[in-house]
């Protein structure tokens, strides 16, 4: 017969060391510290202090920025259980980005307010500098210096929403350049960042893409990503000894009817290249417009080669071979089109 030996709870000293001297009332009670002792220790001149409701700092003096983060997380995560588990909340917004080490946002000591994300059903009020956000989605957490933080895409979207809600854009406290730099850093971090589609999805979920400054920053990121992918495709065209295609020409029928603007086009072969619409479209309406262009080209006999940025990076030789085969095969009875090289 086998059985698991119950693990012993951490002592108060070990718990305090793990949580940078910040503990909850339930954690103190679970370790035999009476409420009257907590009250006595938190009196003026005492060795402890109360940071937030039911959250205490086991030292005197001003709390460090990290201790303020611990206090915010423990306050929001308390669920009445003996150990006051932390899995019920995650730090998000600018505070999470500061913990991640973003160079484009104020450093941790300058972060005053802390946004914490909790499940929608939780009954919890803002307290001190802690602002409670609710979500109906399952919480996702990333451990950053031992603290539970929202994934980068969610944290970035919450930071933008915070700036929007507080009027930071209108007051000039947050300038468009800072917004662009923060979003760009989120998708270009070498480790621990997010994909552009993840970021756009979170911004869309928060209805922030309707904000002109946010949409302009996202369009800039999309354009940069597309330029990078098209530059790599251009290298493949050279490597596979293909003629140089037109970049972004406008195709119309003889009567002037608009057809499309393909990413790349070989008019002599009737072949177009379409980079994945994820790098061109934010909304479903825009995506539908692009699909309409692609279908019109195919209907008129143009051979359309669909290329994704991820595949260009992972399988460049396969993509190059497909481009060459498509060029050799050419379009099928292509209707005569007027091509304007813009």
């Amino acid at each position: 017969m086998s059985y698991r030996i119950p693990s012993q709870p951490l002592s108060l000293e070990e718990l305090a060391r793990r949580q940078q001297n910040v503990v909850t009332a339930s954690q103190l009670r679970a370790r035999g510290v009476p409420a009257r002792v907590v009250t006595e220790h938190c009196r003026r001149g005492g060795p402890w202090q109360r940071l937030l409701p039911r959250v205490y700092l086991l030292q005197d003096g001003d709390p460090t920025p990290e201790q303020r983060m611990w206090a915010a997380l423990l306050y929001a995560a308390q669920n009445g259980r003996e150990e006051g588990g932390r899995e019920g909340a995650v730090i998000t917004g600018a505070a999470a980005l500061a913990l991640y080490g973003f160079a484009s946002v104020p450093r941790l000591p300058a972060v005053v307010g802390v946004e914490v994300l909790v499940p929608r059903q939780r009954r919890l009020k803002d307290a001190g500098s802690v602002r409670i956000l609710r979500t109906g989605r399952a919480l996702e957490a990333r451990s950053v210096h031992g603290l539970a933080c929202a994934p980068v895409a969610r944290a970035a979207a919450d930071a933008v929403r915070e700036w929007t809600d507080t009027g930071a854009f209108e007051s000039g406290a947050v300038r468009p350049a800072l917004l662009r730099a923060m979003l760009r850093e989120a998708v270009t971090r070498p480790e621990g960042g997010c994909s552009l589609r993840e970021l756009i999805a979170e911004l869309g979920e928060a209805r922030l893409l309707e904000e002109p400054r946010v949409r302009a920053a996202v369009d800039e990121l999309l354009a940069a990503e597309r330029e990078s992918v098209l530059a790599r495709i251009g290298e493949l065209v050279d490597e596979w000894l293909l003629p140089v295609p037109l970049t972004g020409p406008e195709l119309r029928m003889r009567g002037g009817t608009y057809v499309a603007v393909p990413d790349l086009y070989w008019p002599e072969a009737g072949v177009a290249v379409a980079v994945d619409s994820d790098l061109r479209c934010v909304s479903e309406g825009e995506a539908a417009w692009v699909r309409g262009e692609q279908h019109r080209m195919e209907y008129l006999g143009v051979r359309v080669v669909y290329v994704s940025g991820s595949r260009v990076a992972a399988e460049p030789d396969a993509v190059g071979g497909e481009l060459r085969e498509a060029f050799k095969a050419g379009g099928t009875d292509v209707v005569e089109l007027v091509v304007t090289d813009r």
Side-chain angles (χ1 to χ4, degrees), residues 45 64 77 85 107 158 163 203 210 220 234 240 253 269 281 288 317 321 338:
T64 66
R107 299 290 178 164
D158 283 335
W163 295 338
L203 292 171
E210 301 167 8
E220 187 176 294
W240 289 82
M253 299 183 69
C281 311
D317 290 341
V338 177

Side-chain angles (χ1 to χ4, degrees), residues 50-316:
R50 175 182 177 273
L51 296 181
L52 290 167
R54 302 178 303 282
V55 180
Y56 303 93
L57 178 63
L58 306 187
Q59 65 183 61
D60 56 9
D62 293 333
T64 66
E66 291 81 5
Q67 287 171 331
R68 288 192 294 107
M69 297 295 145
W70 271 104
L73 185 62
L74 289 170
Y75 165 72
Q78 293 180 87
N79 52 18
R81 296 188 311 175
E82 181 177 279
E83 287 301 313
R86 289 176 283 138
E87 55 279 349
V90 295
I91 296 173
T92 189
L97 298 180
L99 285 167
Y100 276 115
F102 268 55
S104 53
V105 300
R107 299 290 178 164
L108 196 57
V111 176
V112 177
V114 184
E115 291 193 321
V116 185
L117 196 62
V118 302
R120 179 172 294 164
Q121 65 270 22
R122 292 285 306 283
R123 293 184 179 181
L124 197 63
K125 295 182 179 180
D126 296 350
S129 61
V130 180
R131 184 180 179 191
I132 301 299
L133 303 182
R134 291 174 173 80
T135 179
R137 296 152 55 186
L139 290 182
E140 293 184 54
R142 304 286 184 272
S143 180
V144 184
H145 308 303
L147 291 158
C149 290
V152 166
R154 177 63 196 252
D158 283 335
V160 176
R161 183 202 38 72
E162 178 184 358
W163 295 338
T164 302
D165 290 350
T166 58
F169 290 125
E170 287 71 18
S171 67
V174 174
R175 300 188 180 278
L178 174 59
L179 169 66
R180 293 196 300 271
M182 186 271 283
L183 296 181
R184 183 168 57 250
E185 185 173 359
V187 299
T188 58
R189 289 173 64 84
E191 292 183 8
C194 64
S195 72
L196 183 52
R197 290 317 302 176
E198 289 172 334
L199 179 60
I200 290 174
E202 290 290 356
L203 292 171
E205 181 77 16
R207 299 191 177 185
L208 290 166
L209 295 174
E210 301 167 8
E211 161 64 46
R213 282 161 290 207
V214 177
R215 179 58 195 267
V218 169
D219 285 342
E220 187 176 294
L221 289 175
L222 287 168
E225 187 78 7
R226 282 174 58 77
E227 286 299 320
S228 175
V229 174
L230 287 171
R232 183 65 185 107
I233 293 176
E235 294 173 358
L236 292 175
V237 166
D238 290 340
E239 292 171 11
W240 289 82
L241 304 178
L242 293 170
V244 177
L246 300 179
T247 301
E250 184 179 87
L251 307 184
R252 290 182 179 270
M253 299 183 69
R254 276 296 174 189
T257 302
Y258 174 82
V259 176
V261 176
D263 294 301
L264 301 172
Y265 187 61
W266 284 282
E268 67 273 29
V271 174
V273 174
V275 174
D276 47 352
S277 59
D278 282 356
L279 299 180
R280 184 173 177 180
C281 311
V282 170
S283 69
E284 179 55 33
E286 293 168 319
W289 172 267
V290 170
R291 288 194 296 269
E293 289 189 350
Q294 296 165 351
H295 293 160
R296 285 196 295 274
M297 287 191 289
E298 292 177 331
Y299 179 77
L300 296 173
V302 175
R303 183 181 297 274
V304 181
V305 182
Y306 297 93
V307 180
S308 70
S310 59
R311 190 153 178 263
V312 168
E315 303 174 339

